[in-house]
Amino acid sequence: QKEVEQNSGPLSVPEGAIASLNCTYSDRVSQSFFWYRQYSGKSPELIMSIYSNGDKEDGRFTAQLNKASQYVSLLIRDSQPSDSATYLCAGLTGGGNKLTFGTGTQLKVEL
Amino acid sequence: DVKVTQSSRYLVKRTGEKVFLECVQDMDHENMFWYRQDPGLGLRLIYFSYDVKMKEKGDIPEGYSVSREKKERFSLILESASTNQTSMYLCASRLAGAGEQFFGPGTRLTVL
């Protein structure tokens, strides 16, 4: 099993809808997770971090962590075309010394 | 704001050349990282450094070396570039003990 796994997509949602992005992780990943957004040709940009079980909200973004089921999700409310990007999930591994990334989910927000 | 800069956005080199990629961060971060990113393979860690003069191999160190002589600067060296090293190279830094990691703009390297 890969340490951090994501569905590559593309995930298509209409403008104004909620986009739900999911990520699962293995036992080798510690309980700190990060969501990055990456536009085509650009570098990843940190948008959310979550360290404890439950939900964390920041504007239109909500990160959810479920330790029992070993998954992390990112909800984007009122999706906009500018949200179209690849979203990378990452977790701390190696005793908390490094981040391991999923391969990313491509999100397309359609007009 | 954290700022991580990389020496070049685009670089074209020939097979067998020695290539230096430079990364500089201005936030006094202890930890620095070099990744490469390829379609379908995601971000893969090449090398990382906990602090000055310290380095650790990542998941794909073969064909690469690094140097960290000053805290703010982390260099990636391709001793003899090969075509399979054509990729996007991303540098990142973070404060020791913190989770959040910040990326530079990337260098797209093409080896002919």
Side-chain angles (χ1 to χ4, degrees):
Chain A
Q1 182 191 5
K2 288 184 181 178
E3 290 172 314
V4 179
E5 293 200 69
Q6 295 180 258
N7 187 320
S8 62
L11 172 67
S12 293
V13 299
E15 185 179 5
I18 295 175
S20 177
L21 303 158
N22 300 307
C23 170
T24 58
Y25 61 92
S26 75
D27 292 338
R28 295 190 297 275
V29 184
S30 69
Q31 315 276 280
S32 297
F33 296 91
F34 307 87
W35 283 100
Y36 287 80
R37 178 177 61 200
Q38 186 174 24
Y39 293 113
S40 180
K42 303 293 186 183
S43 62
E45 172 193 10
L46 180 66
I47 53 173
M48 290 284 286
S49 58
I50 185 164
Y51 301 100
S52 56
N53 221 24
D55 295 2
K56 179 182 177 183
E57 188 174 317
D58 184 1
R60 295 187 297 113
F61 298 99
T62 299
Q64 299 174 318
L65 174 58
N66 184 321
K67 295 180 182 180
S69 300
Q70 293 185 285
Y71 80 78
V72 190
S73 62
L74 179 70
L75 301 178
I76 306 174
R77 289 181 298 282
D78 189 24
S79 296
Q80 301 297 309
S82 58
D83 294 325
S84 297
T86 296
Y87 289 81
L88 302 170
C89 171
L92 281 174
T93 57
N97 293 322
K98 56 180 183 173
L99 280 182
T100 295
F101 290 82
T103 51
T105 298
Q106 185 184 6
L107 173 66
K108 294 184 177 181
V109 181
E110 298 167 336
L111 294 170
Chain B
D1 280 352
V2 175
K3 190 160 185 184
V4 182
T5 57
Q6 295 183 228
S7 50
S8 305
R9 291 301 307 276
Y10 300 94
L11 207 53
V12 180
K13 295 292 182 180
R14 297 204 173 274
T15 302
E17 281 193 81
K18 190 169 187 175
V19 182
F20 293 87
L21 302 181
E22 302 283 336
C23 176
V24 177
Q25 50 91 8
D26 67 357
M27 286 303 292
D28 205 34
H29 285 175
E30 291 85 3
N31 302 162
M32 297 187 75
F33 306 83
W34 275 107
Y35 296 86
R36 63 178 283 178
Q37 187 174 34
D38 302 286
L41 297 176
L43 277 164
R44 293 181 291 168
L45 181 63
I46 305 171
Y47 266 96
F48 59 107
S49 170
Y50 293 127
D51 211 330
V52 180
K53 298 192 185 293
M54 297 177 72
K55 59 185 178 184
E56 295 281 340
K57 291 181 180 179
D59 301 318
I60 52 162
E62 296 79 17
Y64 303 94
S65 61
V66 290
S67 173
R68 184 114 182 255
E69 294 297 316
K70 293 185 177 182
K71 192 173 187 179
E72 68 271 18
R73 188 180 298 269
F74 191 33
S75 302
L76 180 69
I77 303 152
L78 286 66
E79 295 291 341
S80 177
S82 63
T83 54
N84 63 12
Q85 292 178 309
T86 291
S87 186
M88 169 71 94
Y89 289 87
L90 290 157
C91 175
S93 74
R94 76 163 193 239
L95 204 59
E100 289 87 357
Q101 185 169 293
F102 301 93
F103 285 86
T107 295
R108 185 164 293 283
L109 171 68
T110 302
V111 182
L112 301 174

